[in-house]
Amino acid sequence: MYILIIPLLSYVLPSRSDEWQVNILDVGQGVSVLVIKNNRALVYDVGAKYPSGFNMADAVILPILKAKGIGHIDWLFISHGDNDHAGSLPFLTQGIAVNNLVTNTDRCQLGFSADWQELNLAVLWPQNPINYSDNNGSCVMKISDGIHSVLLPGDIDKSIEQNLVELYGAQLKSTLLLAPHHGSNTSSTTPFIQTVDPEYVVFSQGFKNRWGFPKADVVTRYLNSGVRHANLYSISQTGQVRFVFAGQYSAKVDILTYRFDLYPYWYANMHNCCANRW
């Protein structure tokens, strides 16, 4: 009798996995990161809204969540109030339930820590955002499973990078780094890069953006600090990038990009014609 119940329980109860994925979404000149584990979601930043009414929640984030069958967001973190990071917030909260909304004006500050499905969520900065510019008051978050970790630094500049290096030292080390401030030359200093020591770096920026992000000097600093050229990803070239971490018992990382892997039709795949991502 009990043997017959086991298959029924496995069908009714959802299976749990150590695997988790980090999706750097293609929201143009802006940032939105979707973390998924066991079909549950965490979002860091939501991209921009525009005077026309077009916004990245309706255009990108909500369709992805719907396609994956995710009916609510467990955690929504907003790094700071700039439009390219927070503009779509009202549209997102209208379109899907959010269990926990955390911004840098409340709990998304130094000292915040939470466990979410065996992942540790830790906010490393700011101490108090009113003491800093909008960019330097960005909520800096690290997500870790004990082996793999992701550092999400918002738009901080070199002065805050130095503070983080002094505060945390080797604790900053991360598998994946979202390049601060989209690859601006005011950020991504050599001491910061070398302390974080990332294996993978993603620049979340728009195609032919007016600031020229990522700056050539910034790309050079990452390369000179030991990051392989093949491990530098520019969202304007690759589209959405998905990092799949096997969990705390394996060092395996799988990487998929929208243009080269997730949408590989001959008329959309640029791999053969545009091997140089920059």
Side-chain angles (χ1 to χ4, degrees):
M1 178 178 177
Y2 294 110
I3 295 175
L4 295 176
I5 292 175
I6 293 173
L8 177 61
L9 289 176
S10 65
Y11 176 80
V12 174
L13 298 176
S15 61
R16 296 184 61 83
S17 170
D18 286 327
E19 182 179 285
W20 56 293
Q21 61 177 251
V22 177
N23 299 273
I24 314 297
L25 303 182
D26 185 357
V27 292
Q29 183 58 40
V31 167
S32 185
V33 179
L34 170 62
V35 181
I36 298 175
K37 185 175 183 184
N38 294 315
N39 211 41
R40 293 168 61 184
L42 175 154
V43 174
Y44 176 93
D45 283 346
V46 294
K49 67 175 180 182
Y50 299 92
S52 66
F54 181 83
N55 67 87
M56 291 301 174
D58 288 331
V60 178
I61 306 171
L62 289 170
I64 290 176
L65 293 172
K66 182 178 180 180
K68 291 183 174 294
I70 295 174
H72 69 276
I73 296 171
D74 286 353
W75 288 96
L76 173 55
F77 294 89
I78 301 296
S79 67
H80 62 300
D82 284 0
N83 181 54
D84 58 332
H85 293 254
S88 288
L89 179 59
F91 303 94
L92 186 62
T93 55
Q94 288 169 16
I96 194 169
V98 176
N99 290 354
N100 297 281
L101 172 60
V102 183
T103 76
N104 70 328
T105 61
D106 48 63
R107 291 185 291 163
C108 206
Q109 298 180 15
L110 177 64
F112 175 93
S113 180
D115 290 323
W116 178 65
Q117 301 190 91
E118 300 181 334
L119 298 177
N120 178 252
L121 317 176
V123 174
L124 309 183
W125 189 265
Q127 295 167 312
N128 189 336
I130 66 172
N131 296 328
Y132 304 94
S133 65
D134 286 345
N135 286 348
N136 281 340
S138 292
C139 172
V140 178
M141 169 175 280
K142 186 173 183 180
I143 304 172
S144 175
D145 67 7
I147 290 183
H148 311 95
S149 54
V150 179
L151 188 62
L152 306 172
D155 279 351
I156 61 171
D157 71 12
K158 59 185 178 182
S159 64
I160 307 304
E161 291 181 351
Q162 180 179 348
N163 288 346
L164 291 173
V165 170
E166 292 172 354
L167 279 171
Y168 299 103
Q171 296 177 55
L172 288 178
K173 181 173 174 54
S174 301
T175 314
L176 168 62
L177 171 64
L178 182 66
H181 202 185
H182 317 280
S184 165
N185 203 28
T186 62
S187 308
S188 294
T189 56
T190 297
F192 178 75
I193 296 170
Q194 292 179 343
T195 303
V196 177
D197 190 23
E199 186 173 354
Y200 307 98
V201 177
V202 177
F203 301 102
S204 184
Q205 38 68 259
F207 181 67
K208 290 189 176 179
N209 64 87
R210 60 178 172 165
W211 300 276
F213 297 154
K215 292 293 189 180
D217 287 347
V218 170
V219 174
T220 298
R221 287 201 290 272
Y222 280 104
L223 294 173
N224 289 344
S225 297
V227 182
R228 295 176 57 227
H229 190 279
N231 290 351
L232 294 173
Y233 295 86
S234 181
I235 293 297
S236 65
Q237 296 297 319
T238 63
Q240 173 187 339
V241 183
R242 176 184 302 165
F243 294 83
V244 182
F245 301 106
Q248 58 184 320
Y249 301 108
S250 172
K252 182 182 178 183
V253 182
D254 290 324
I255 304 164
L256 299 171
T257 67
Y258 184 78
R259 293 199 179 124
F260 301 153
D261 301 296
L262 302 178
Y263 186 47
Y265 301 109
W266 68 266
Y267 51 83
N269 191 332
M270 301 168 58
H271 185 71
N272 292 329
C273 70
C274 309
N276 185 345
R277 293 193 179 107
W278 309 109

